[in-house]
Amino acid sequence: MTGDWFAVRQYPNRVYLISEPCHVNSYLVVGEERALLFDTGLGIDDISQAVRGLTDLPLVVVNSHHHLDHRGGNQHVPAVDFLAHPSGSGLYGAVEPAELAAYAESAKSMYTTYTALRDLDKIKFFLTPDDLTMRPIPDLSSWRIPATEPTGFLDDGDVIDLGGRSLTVLHTPGHVPDSICLWERDTGALFCGDTLLTTTYWAHLTDSDVPTFAASLARLAALDVTTAFVGHNLVADVGPDFVRDVAARFAAVVRDPDIGVVVEGPQGRPVRRVDGNGFAILTAVPGSPATTL
């Protein structure tokens, strides 16, 4: 790779988006004494180069959860600590090559769709952000994600002190049991991983739990959020109204699990889809084969 894989966007208060556009979003939060990298992406390219272009402070990595697209870059980052929720213990092993090959094929298809969308968008609508253009998919035959077990664990209510600023850990299970968010009370910034998204919510996985997911989102909706930073898609930041909209839609799904329509899911198996304003929720269809990542 040439170092062009990542896109970097600066926000106020020394917050940086380090995006692998259309794949996953990681975030760098810089304090006076330490910097924190929330998720490390796919590991296709070396995210530490992007980080070191922004800060040379000692670095702590926090993984929002154990899925490969959020911790694949752990292998590249010379961090002081790798921290995660304890329910993810044992889930940070090496990723099977077949799983990486499946992602590579999906990424190629996604790139074809994206380029067609962008070509149409630039004729008239201009909705796709120019700073987050999806990169061509390189040869991924040698892509690997080795085991990188956390060096420590974070539980609900723990506070991470970066010097001059602090982030509070929120355990937000639902997507998977080990999902966490980070909340900066002083600025209202909320870093969400896959707990809050501007795309489809994968709540149909075998280790997903929709009522628990709804409860986690209700908790986020009650916070004094100014900006929520999401884990995927080209819309990386949203306001408090969006958080409340998602929480309300999940609550509706809990009240009536049969709302929405049954469609073909991401792995070709039936899922139930419920649309919201700028997002959709996928839940499992009873009797369908189990879906895992």
Side-chain angles (χ1 to χ4, degrees), residues 25-97:
N25 297 325
S26 303
Y27 296 92
L28 180 70
V29 183
V30 181
E32 295 175 3
E33 299 171 4
R34 297 197 298 171
L36 183 147
L37 182 61
F38 189 57
D39 287 336
T40 60
L42 287 159
I44 289 173
D45 199 4
D46 185 351
I47 196 171
S48 70
Q49 294 182 17
V51 170
R52 288 310 174 208
L54 301 169
T55 182
D56 58 1
L57 288 173
L59 189 67
V60 56
V61 166
V62 175
N63 290 127
S64 65
H65 61 297
H66 69 276
H67 284 161
L68 69 89
D69 50 339
H70 295 266
R71 53 97 170 184
N74 286 10
Q75 61 186 302
H76 299 306
V77 182
V80 174
D81 290 301
F82 289 96
L83 306 176
H85 191 266
S87 59
S89 179
L91 300 178
Y92 283 74
V95 178
E96 293 294 329

Side-chain angles (χ1 to χ4, degrees), residues 5 9 12-13 16 31 42 63-64 68 79 94 105 123 131 150-151 155 167 178-179 185 195 213 226 245 284 288:
W5 179 251
R9 177 186 287 178
N13 300 315
Y16 300 88
L42 287 159
N63 290 127
S64 65
L68 69 89
E105 286 303 308
I123 294 173
D131 64 331
T151 60
D155 216 334
L167 299 166
D178 62 313
S179 290
R185 185 183 304 272
T195 302
F213 212 150
T226 55
D245 285 348
S288 297

